[in-house]
């Protein structure tokens, strides 16, 4: 081993050190790819861990949780369950997001029964003092409007223990006396510690929710048997569910992990493209050092030793590249974690990342994948170097044209096979909401195009030169384009890097543009109201709070000057899939707005929907539940069973897009519940000055509602639409950054490949100089060669990208998130990749020409 290491230092490391700039470029590429992969993984994992920790902290030690989908549980159920011999702990829990007056940041306020709560969750004070703790908890029970708040909240609000702080809830505002400080562990670490707890009676008085609780957590006697579960279920009211606390957690984790997998695959592409850089440089060393390899073989080195020398070179790039990537990756993670957690909060579940979750497993995975990629990149050049024989290398014989043709033919057949495999792979179902077959189809497509590129390059090198010559573009253009004919197989992998990067870039540009156009069409057709009125903090509190009856009555009085469209929103579960049931005044809504239908005839659907004869469901809900038009939609809302046919499937791109719409009048008749979650308002007079009338109407509504407290929000429709598009842009900020990084790495690959081709033909160029070619002509030949390579890579990359965009839109996104988009192409952004790669290639052409011109014909030809 020591002898081999000394040989590697003498033979390989000396070469790497002697051409430091090439080594630095490759290390930069592989470390950048590894840093992107590591940082994206760490940022996504931080969001996953934050969500899981939050759900575990809320669940505590509960065996089961009782909830009433779409409503709250009667408080007397606590005493009924408490008397069950099958239970040893019963604890009600309530929660709501509130705000400190003068601040926009939400505070998560819990309502607990401090006595019943003790077996379920551990709330620790800071500093811990048993005597003071007892007095503090007794005061929390006995004194109204008291709370214990987190250290972070107290520091931000500037409040100390014993002082009061005024909180703004949905129905009212109130001043709370802070009794103490919560420790930042367990449930105290939720929302990055931005929480507070109050006695459940105080919570109910503050929120105006009397005689009801959000959930009841249970601990059963041991052992937990099916008979015990059945006996407890028999005590529950109609519609109530007894579920494992982990069910909501697992449902959320499935969705977040699907997004995490998509990001991981996307980030791996940067590492995948960086692999081509390693291949290019090791291939250059294997080609340019054939004479040294021959000498090495002649003094007794085995083919296995030569193979391992080049594999060790790949290991060097993998290990050093990863070592450089770790600090860069940690720096990038700090920047990415905010974007990733924001996207997860918008699309799936609210998370507040407290730490980066750096684990040995993630570092080991990053190291293993980086090393594996580098070693795989070194395998083919190492194999070619191991086949060199002393006499053959010393004579510098090139491979025969027949061997070259056979290699190109084999690569093309394999490429066609991989490209053909894309269709059956794309049609295979997802695995646990993860489109594994879609990812396999993606990489099969990349490899297929890359392996098919040699025959395309050979054809270009054969047919372009005569066309160029007839067009009168000169001998240098002719020579530059004709070199690809003999270099097709050798540049296959490097052109494959360009195809991969441009294919991914163009596919994601098309997908993002299609998504944005679809969202824009949706918000201008389906979210085109002038004003949106709803209960304060309605969305963040999962739509549990309705508009006060007085405010709903006041909105009804506006019908002479505006059309008012009331709606309800109720969060429910279809099995393990959460969705939003939205009864809405469909008659008024469809008169002013509309749905974008995927399935179903709009006219007939609207008529049946208005009469309460069915529902329409979003594409996401349909794809994730498997329910189609004509099938029955069944649910239970507050103990009332609804059973209606599905009339149509529509596009709906809200952040949690599983939605079911039905007629509000039908829902009110079926449930005897006439509460509104909110209302959409359309001003009747659409003439000049519409903006002023909308602002005036909004101010009147807020002023009228102020007499019942600051309990509502009224947003202009134009502001809401801008907010949706801003969320969209923030969601894809990470994707855009990763795209440009992969383009930069591929540009480095083109530069390295061009250098290889030029050094391989140093004797040819020096012969041209010896026979009268000028330096400008040599530069022109190399420049045309670079330009032709980029043009072919761009053309193949775009073709690959258009196919991949179909996969992304209609397979991967559908399997991961349940939605598809209206296909559209952003040609201007697609064109942005060409100048970057072309500039890198031309710059590399100049540098490569300098390598040739640095020598003299006599020294090289000797």
């Amino acid at each position: 081993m020591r002898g081999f290491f000394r040989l590697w230092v003498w033979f390989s490391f000396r070469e790497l050190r002697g051409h430091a700039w090439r080594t630095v470029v490759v290390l930069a590429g592989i470390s950048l790819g590894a840093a992107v992969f590591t940082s994206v993984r760490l940022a996504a994992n931080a969001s996953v861990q934050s969500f899981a920790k939050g759900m575990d902290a809320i669940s505590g030690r509960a065996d089961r949780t009782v909830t009433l989908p779409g409503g709250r549980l009667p408080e007397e159920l606590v005493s009924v369950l408490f008397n069950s011999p099958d239970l040893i702990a019963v604890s009600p829990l309530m929660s709501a997001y509130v705000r400190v007056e003068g601040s926009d940041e939400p505070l998560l306020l819990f309502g607990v029964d401090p006595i019943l709560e003790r077996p379920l969750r551990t709330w620790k004070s800071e500093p811990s003092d048993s005597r003071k703790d007892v007095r503090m908890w007794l005061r929390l029970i006995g004194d109204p409007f008291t709370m214990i708040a987190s250290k972070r909240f107290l520091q931000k609000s500037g409040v100390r223990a014993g002082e009061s702080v005024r909180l703004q809830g949905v129905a009212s505002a109130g001043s709370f006396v802070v009794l103490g400080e919560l420790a930042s562990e367990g449930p105290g670490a939720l929302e990055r510690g931005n929480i507070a707890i109050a006695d459940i009676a105080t919570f109910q008085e503050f929120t105006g929710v009397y005689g009801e609780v959000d959930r009841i957590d249970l601990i059963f006697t041991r052992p937990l048997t099916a008979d015990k579960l059945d006996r407890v279920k028999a005590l529950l009211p109609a519609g109530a569910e007894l579920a494992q606390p982990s069910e909501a957690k697992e449902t959320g984790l499935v969705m977040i992990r699907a997004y995490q997998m998509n990001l991981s695959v996307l980030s791996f592409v940067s590492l995948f493209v960086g692999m081509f850089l390693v291949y290019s440089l090791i291939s250059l060393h294997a080609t340019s050092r054939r004479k040294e390899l021959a000498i090495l073989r002649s003094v007794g080195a085995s083919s296995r030793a030569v193979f391992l020398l080049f594999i060790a070179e790949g290991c060097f790039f993998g290990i050093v590249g990863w070592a450089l990537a770790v600090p860069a990756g940690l720096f990038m993670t700090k920047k990415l974690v905010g974007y990733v957690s924001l996207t997860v909060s918008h699309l799936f579940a609210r998370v507040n990342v407290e730490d980066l979750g750096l684990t040995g497993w993630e570092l080991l995975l990053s190291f293993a994948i980086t090393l594996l990629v580098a070693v795989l990149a070194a395998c083919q050049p190492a194999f070619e170097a191991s086949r060199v024989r002393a006499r053959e290398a010393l004579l510098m014989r090139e491979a025969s044209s027949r061997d070259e043709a056979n290699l190109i033919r084999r690569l093309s057949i394999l490429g066609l096979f991989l490209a053909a495999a894309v269709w059956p792979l794309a049609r295979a179902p997802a695995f646990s909401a993860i489109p594994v077959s879609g990812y396999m189809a993606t990489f099969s497509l990349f490899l297929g195009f890359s392996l098919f590129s040699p025959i395309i390059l050979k054809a270009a090198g054969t047919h372009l030169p005569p066309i160029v010559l007839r067009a009168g573009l000169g001998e240098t253009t002719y020579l530059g384009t004709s070199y690809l004919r003999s270099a097709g197989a050798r540049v296959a992998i490097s052109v494959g890097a360009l195809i991969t990067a441009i294919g991914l870039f163009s596919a994601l540009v098309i997908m993002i543009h299609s998504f944005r156009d679809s969202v824009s069409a949706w918000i201008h057709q389906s979210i085109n109201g002038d004003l949106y009125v709803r209960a304060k903090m309605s969305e963040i509190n999962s739509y549990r709070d309705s508009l006060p009856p007085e405010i709903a009555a006041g909105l009804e009085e506006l019908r002479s000057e505006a059309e008012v469209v009331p709606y309800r929103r109720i969060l429910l579960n279809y099995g393990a899939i959460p969705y939003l049931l939205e009864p809405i005044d469909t008659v008024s809504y469809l008169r002013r707005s509309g749905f974008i239908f995927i399935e179903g005839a709009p006219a007939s659907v609207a008529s049946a929907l208005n009469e309460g004869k069915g529902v329409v469901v979003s594409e996401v809900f349909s794809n994730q539940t498997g329910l189609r038009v004509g099938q029955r939609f069944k649910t239970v809302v507050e103990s009332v069973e609804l059973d209606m046919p599905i009339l149509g499937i529509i596009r709906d791109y809200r952040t949690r897009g599983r939605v079911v719409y039905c007629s509000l009048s039908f829902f009110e008749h079926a449930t005897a519940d006439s509460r509104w979650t909110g209302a959409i308002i359309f001003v009747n007079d659409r003439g000049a000055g519409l903006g002023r009338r909308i602002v005036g109407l909004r101010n009147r509504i807020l002023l009228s509602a102020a007499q019942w407290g600051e309990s509502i929000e009224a947003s202009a429709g134009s502001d809401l639409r801008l907010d949706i598009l801003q969320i969209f842009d923030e969601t894809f900020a990470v994707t855009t950054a990763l795209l440009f990084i992969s383009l930069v790495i591929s540009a480095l690959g083109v530069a390295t490949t061009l250098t290889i081709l030029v050094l391989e033909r140093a004797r040819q160029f020096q012969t041209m100089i010896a026979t009268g070619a000028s330096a400008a002509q040599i530069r022109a030949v190399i420049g045309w060669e670079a330009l032709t390579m980029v043009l072919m890579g761009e053309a193949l990359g775009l073709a690959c990208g258009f196919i991949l965009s179909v996969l992304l839109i209609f397979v991967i996104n559908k399997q991961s998130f349940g939605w598809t988009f209206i296909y559209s192409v952003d040609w201007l952004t697609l064109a942005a990749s060409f100048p970057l790669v072309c500039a890198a290639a031309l710059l590399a052409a100049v540098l490569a020409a300098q390598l040739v011109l640095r020598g003299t014909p006599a020294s090289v030809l000797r």
Side-chain angles (χ1 to χ4, degrees), residues 362-672:
E362 282 301 325
L363 290 177
L364 181 61
L365 177 66
S366 171
F367 173 76
I369 290 181
T370 305
L371 183 60
L372 178 63
V373 162
V375 169
L376 287 176
C379 283
Q380 196 274 339
F383 178 71
E384 291 297 326
S386 68
R387 296 176 61 192
V388 171
R389 296 180 180 178
R391 183 171 180 276
E392 179 185 347
L394 290 171
L395 292 174
M396 293 303 291
R397 288 180 179 170
E398 302 292 339
S400 68
S401 60
R402 180 178 300 176
D403 292 340
E404 180 80 10
N406 288 336
L407 177 60
I408 289 177
R409 191 179 300 111
R410 289 196 299 269
L411 289 175
S412 301
I413 292 172
L414 179 58
L416 284 173
F417 173 78
L418 290 171
V422 170
W423 173 248
L425 285 172
R427 293 177 60 84
F431 177 75
S432 298
I434 298 176
V436 176
S437 57
Y439 298 141
M440 292 174 63
T442 298
F443 284 103
S444 182
L445 181 68
F446 285 150
L447 289 173
F449 266 82
S450 300
L451 295 176
F452 194 67
S453 62
I455 199 167
I456 300 295
L457 293 170
K458 187 176 181 67
T462 302
H463 298 293
L464 274 180
I467 297 173
V468 165
L469 204 58
R470 285 196 297 270
L473 295 178
E475 293 79 2
T476 55
T477 308
Y478 176 86
L479 291 173
T481 54
S482 64
Y483 277 131
L484 290 180
R485 182 175 54 211
S486 59
R490 282 179 299 229
V491 299
I493 293 187
S494 294
V495 172
L498 188 59
I499 292 171
T500 300
I502 292 175
L504 184 68
F505 177 82
S506 55
L508 285 174
V509 164
I510 293 171
M511 186 199 75
I512 293 171
H513 183 70
S514 299
F515 198 177
R516 204 178 199 283
D517 276 4
S518 301
V519 170
S520 181
W522 169 66
I523 63 176
H524 285 93
Q525 182 165 337
S526 301
I527 309 183
N528 61 344
D530 297 321
L531 279 174
Y532 288 80
V533 180
R534 61 186 181 182
K536 203 171 192 67
M537 293 178 284
S538 175
E539 184 172 8
I540 197 173
N541 281 311
S542 303
Y543 307 106
R544 288 179 306 188
D545 301 294
S546 56
L547 289 175
E550 302 86 355
I551 293 177
L555 293 177
E556 287 278 19
E557 296 175 1
L558 299 174
R559 292 191 181 274
S560 60
E561 58 183 301
E563 183 143 20
V564 179
V565 183
Y567 64 84
R568 277 288 305 276
R569 285 182 180 170
I570 307 167
L571 276 174
L572 300 171
N573 292 317
Y574 189 89
I577 300 173
Y579 71 98
L580 191 67
L581 177 65
E582 185 161 332
I584 189 170
D585 181 355
T586 54
V587 175
S588 299
Y589 178 74
L590 293 176
R591 185 162 49 238
R592 295 281 189 162
S593 294
F595 300 119
I596 301 177
F597 279 88
I598 297 175
E599 293 183 26
S604 59
V605 169
S607 175
L609 189 63
N610 291 338
E611 295 173 11
K613 295 181 178 179
V615 299
V616 294
V617 302
S618 68
E619 178 189 24
V620 179
F621 180 84
S622 174
N623 288 333
Q624 293 188 348
T625 61
L627 293 178
R628 313 302 300 178
V629 172
Q631 294 181 287
R632 308 292 295 187
F633 165 75
K634 300 179 181 179
T635 191
V636 177
V637 184
E638 298 179 6
S639 75
V640 177
E641 184 176 350
L642 302 179
D643 184 353
M644 294 176 285
I646 296 175
L647 305 171
I649 299 174
I650 60 171
R651 297 188 186 275
D652 195 298
Y653 295 111
R654 68 185 71 194
T655 51
R656 297 172 182 88
R658 295 169 295 275
V659 190
V660 176
Y661 290 93
C662 68
S663 165
L664 180 63
S665 59
F666 163 79
F667 179 83
E668 290 176 342
H669 177 75
T671 62

